[in-house]
Amino acid sequence: MTKNVMLQFLIICFVFTQNTKAQCMLQELSLKEKTQQSALIVEARVISENSFWNREHTRIYTSYILEVYKLFKGVLDASPVNLITEGGTVEYNKHSVQHQLELKVGDMGIFFMEQSHNSKLKNLSSNEAVLVAYGGVQGCIKIDQQSKTASDPFNYYYDLDAQLYPQIMALTGAYSEKGNLGFPEFQTALKADIYISDFSPSEVAAGIESEITIRGSGFGNEKGLNSYVEFKDANTGGIMLIQPLASQYTLWEDDKIIVKVPSRAGTGSLRVRNETVFANSDEELSVTYSRLNAIYNGNAFQTNIINKNSNGGYIWQMNSDFNSNTKASEAFERALISWRCKTYVPWEMGKTTSTNVTASDGINIIRFDNNSELPAGVLAACYTYWNGCNDESGFKWFVNELDIVFDDSTNWSYSQAAPELDQFDLESIALHELGHGHQLGHVINPNGVMHYSVAPGEYKKILKSNDIQGGSLVIESSKSSSYCGKTPIIPLKESDCSGTSAVASVHIDIVGGKNSVCEKAWVSFVAMAENGGASPLFEWKINGINTGSIYSTFTTSTLQNKDTITCVMTSSLPGLSSFPVSSNDLYITVSPKQLPEVIPTADSLTSSLNGISYAWFCNSIQITETKKTIKPVLLGNYAVKIWNDEGCESDKSLVYLYDPLGMENATNLSFSIHPNPSSGVFTIQLNEGNFAFTEITVSNILGQKIYKSHFSNNNKKEINLMGNAEGIYFLNIRSGEKAFAAKIILQQETK
């Protein structure tokens, strides 16, 4: 009878900002910050470890006992230091959190520790204060005892005595010796001692049991306790090194080593250590992609995906808040489609859910975090929940659930275009995090989606051949056999993603090509769909509000300045119909309608506004005059209309009554002026009941306004033009659609 033991793993991959870089795990903490925030700083060695459940049986923690050799800061009791970290293994249960510090017996380093602020950790014991590493994995600068160097995820210290110790002491003062760390006599790795001549193959994938053969001399006739191969750690871009598990060595001889390439190995040189000497390779190993492994009982297990939803794979569900951010949900779906249609991973989008927690609850959720739920600086997190079983062929591991969380306070770019220099591109981050869900690890390849870091302003929206190759391998192995009684996946078919790119998209343009339009003018837009199928659906929006237009063209005359036009297209192709995509944004500049005035001079009428063309009207009939200034010969109500530099037509001006025989005759019908001529003070008398809300202006012969006022509650108005030069002036009275004018003469009284 087969015995099945179900196990559950949790792996978390975080993305943090690192100055101008964001590594998939951490935001860099300066040595000064770590020193200031730590209550205890020691140089120590791990002498024992023990993992245990918390009291609620919901978390696994590990206790590391540290033997102290130097005290840089804090008060040290006589007993060894007990450092608690999140994660560990208890029987058939393992909780792995990648941003936490992972140690093993024999590890040495400088530890930066603080009192725990975690209430669950505080309750682990009622009699002792709990110390945790400040900054998780950054809370330890690991020491290489052989070379007297040290490193953390962001920094390499080439000399303990000359570089690292002085930097710490400059912040803490002198340290006190508590013991001897016992550095061996450093031996220079001469060719006669140990030497790497070559290795093959030069290009491999990590985490798939690929083997490399390293040739040279001085490796030792057998693998000693302190003999091992080291690869560049892809999680830190190669600053730190990663060692294979003991079970991953196939052969160790004095002139040859055969070893499997571990999951976290990245592109770079190799190092071989033989007790107290080591050698680096001259050539670099190229790691094309990496597959995630579940580590259990000293062995690495490749993880597969299963037919979780009885429809071939997994159903993703967006939390309602994430889904309500249309641009964010569209960016995520574009990333999802990229994986679906390049590796045919059987992922599909399900209904929106009100669930808003990250947990092993049967929901593959996509969500924004709640306030400070994610640590400061975290961009996104991919949670992979593994289950395993043990049968005659050994342990097997599969993905039971996936969750992805995005930081709600990050300055995200949701556009299909390049992000701004201070923005992180959500589609690129989603593509990367989905890669982890696809069971791919980090690589060191700046052009690859699974590269360990991304910078603000940077974007990687297209899967490269290595990304696709790694994902396709996971698909092939996952469809070949059942895992722990689970049904194998059913990959998508090529017909589910028709078209060469297998990704739907839509681009919109304004007919005529100019984004500057005239107010109230009819403007047309056209949508050009790619992989839209025979009958795609369109949804035109102005400033995010649906216009009701459902065709590939959209025409409107109601645009306002700074309006944004977008179009959402839903493809009719199989496999893409559930993924509406949004177009580019068109930002519209609207030239407002202008209203010119007719300005009279001695024998002419002039438009108050400049234009590229003019139209004049007399008694509502357009006349042949097309210049800014005209000399009318007929009595009538004149108006003007202009077209500006953008070609936009103005409204027609208010009418102006012009009498070539004498303005006084025309105005006497409605009002009287006395005295005229005058030395500067005039009185205007309106005919009763003719005008309300009347405006009065006076202009000189150049058309310049020198006076403006309004009638109040009576029909008499005094105008004082004292101080102006003698000459002819033009009085204009406007009320509603009517305008009248009179000529007034200003002259000094003779004595």
Side-chain angles (χ1 to χ4, degrees), residues 123-392:
N123 291 332
L124 293 178
S125 172
S126 59
N127 299 320
E128 62 177 320
V130 176
L131 290 172
V132 297
Y134 178 75
V137 69
Q138 294 188 79
C140 175
I141 301 177
K142 291 189 176 181
I143 293 175
D144 184 334
Q145 189 181 21
Q146 184 173 351
S147 62
K148 291 187 179 181
T149 60
S151 60
D152 62 28
F154 293 93
N155 301 283
Y156 178 78
Y157 301 92
Y158 60 86
D159 191 304
L160 291 177
D161 294 322
Q163 186 185 22
L164 181 56
Y165 291 157
Q167 289 186 33
I168 297 176
M169 288 189 293
L171 297 168
T172 64
Y175 62 82
S176 59
E177 291 278 0
K178 300 296 180 180
N180 183 7
L181 189 57
F183 288 103
E185 185 67 26
F186 178 71
Q187 299 183 29
T188 304
L190 300 176
K191 185 172 181 178
D193 299 323
I194 185 171
Y195 174 67
I196 299 175
S197 60
D198 65 88
F199 59 83
S200 62
S202 60
E203 182 177 283
V204 296
I208 63 169
E209 299 191 344
S210 297
E211 291 184 334
I212 62 168
T213 300
I214 305 171
R215 289 170 286 271
S217 61
F219 301 153
N221 293 325
E222 60 182 17
K223 184 183 180 307
L225 181 63
N226 294 314
S227 299
Y228 36 80
V229 176
E230 291 179 305
F231 298 82
K232 296 292 186 181
D233 184 359
N235 280 1
T236 64
I239 292 178
M240 301 181 76
L241 302 176
I242 185 74
Q243 300 171 8
L245 301 171
S247 60
Q248 292 178 312
Y249 290 93
T250 302
L251 176 71
W252 190 292
E253 295 179 346
D254 190 62
D255 59 354
K256 182 190 295 185
I257 299 172
I258 301 177
V259 63
K260 294 180 175 65
V261 181
S263 175
R264 283 169 54 178
T267 295
S269 60
L270 303 176
R271 174 177 289 184
V272 175
R273 293 177 181 263
N274 178 16
E275 299 301 334
T276 60
V277 294
F278 66 86
N280 294 317
S281 65
D282 294 329
E283 303 298 325
E284 289 193 347
L285 175 69
S286 175
V287 179
T288 55
Y289 64 86
S290 176
R291 185 168 178 175
L292 292 178
N293 288 173
I295 309 301
Y296 184 75
N297 281 349
N299 293 283
F301 299 92
Q302 297 180 52
T303 57
N304 279 358
I305 57 179
I306 62 170
N307 183 357
K308 181 69 175 177
N309 65 347
S310 301
N311 194 33
Y314 300 79
I315 297 176
W316 291 93
Q317 292 180 260
M318 291 184 184
N319 166 260
S320 53
D321 287 342
F322 189 93
N323 184 71
S324 66
N325 186 329
T326 304
K327 295 292 186 182
S329 61
E330 290 174 351
F332 183 88
E333 288 177 356
R334 289 195 298 270
L336 187 72
I337 292 171
S338 293
W339 281 111
R340 276 172 48 96
C341 300
K342 291 300 182 182
T343 66
Y344 305 118
V345 59
W347 286 338
E348 60 181 286
M349 289 301 302
K351 296 180 179 179
T352 302
T353 177
S354 60
T355 299
N356 197 24
V357 294
T358 302
S360 180
D361 55 7
I363 299 175
N364 303 298
I365 199 167
I366 307 146
R367 55 186 289 265
F368 284 116
D369 73 337
N370 296 315
N371 300 319
S372 58
E373 177 185 346
L374 292 177
V378 176
L379 294 178
C382 176
Y383 297 75
T384 301
Y385 302 90
W386 287 330
N387 286 109
C389 65
N390 185 15
D391 57 23
E392 292 88 349

Side-chain angles (χ1 to χ4, degrees), residues 40-49 63-72 76-83 103-111 113 131 140 143 145 165 176-183:
L40 183 66
I41 304 175
V42 299
E43 181 182 76
R45 184 199 310 267
V46 178
I47 59 175
S48 71
E49 64 176 294
S63 167
Y64 294 102
I65 303 301
L66 306 180
E67 184 178 44
V68 177
Y69 301 100
K70 289 183 176 67
L71 174 63
F72 291 94
L76 187 65
D77 296 331
S79 59
V81 173
N82 185 7
L83 172 66
L103 301 167
K104 63 181 183 297
V105 173
D107 280 350
M108 294 169 287
I110 297 177
F111 295 85
M113 292 171 282
L131 290 172
C140 175
I143 293 175
Q145 189 181 21
Y165 291 157
S176 59
E177 291 278 0
K178 300 296 180 180
N180 183 7
L181 189 57
F183 288 103

Side-chain angles (χ1 to χ4, degrees), residues 304-308 312-314 344-346 474-481 486-491:
N304 279 358
I305 57 179
I306 62 170
N307 183 357
K308 181 69 175 177
Y314 300 79
Y344 305 118
V345 59
V474 175
I475 297 299
E476 286 299 314
S477 65
S478 297
K479 72 178 185 180
S480 60
S481 61
K486 304 296 181 180
T487 306
I489 64 164
I490 304 174

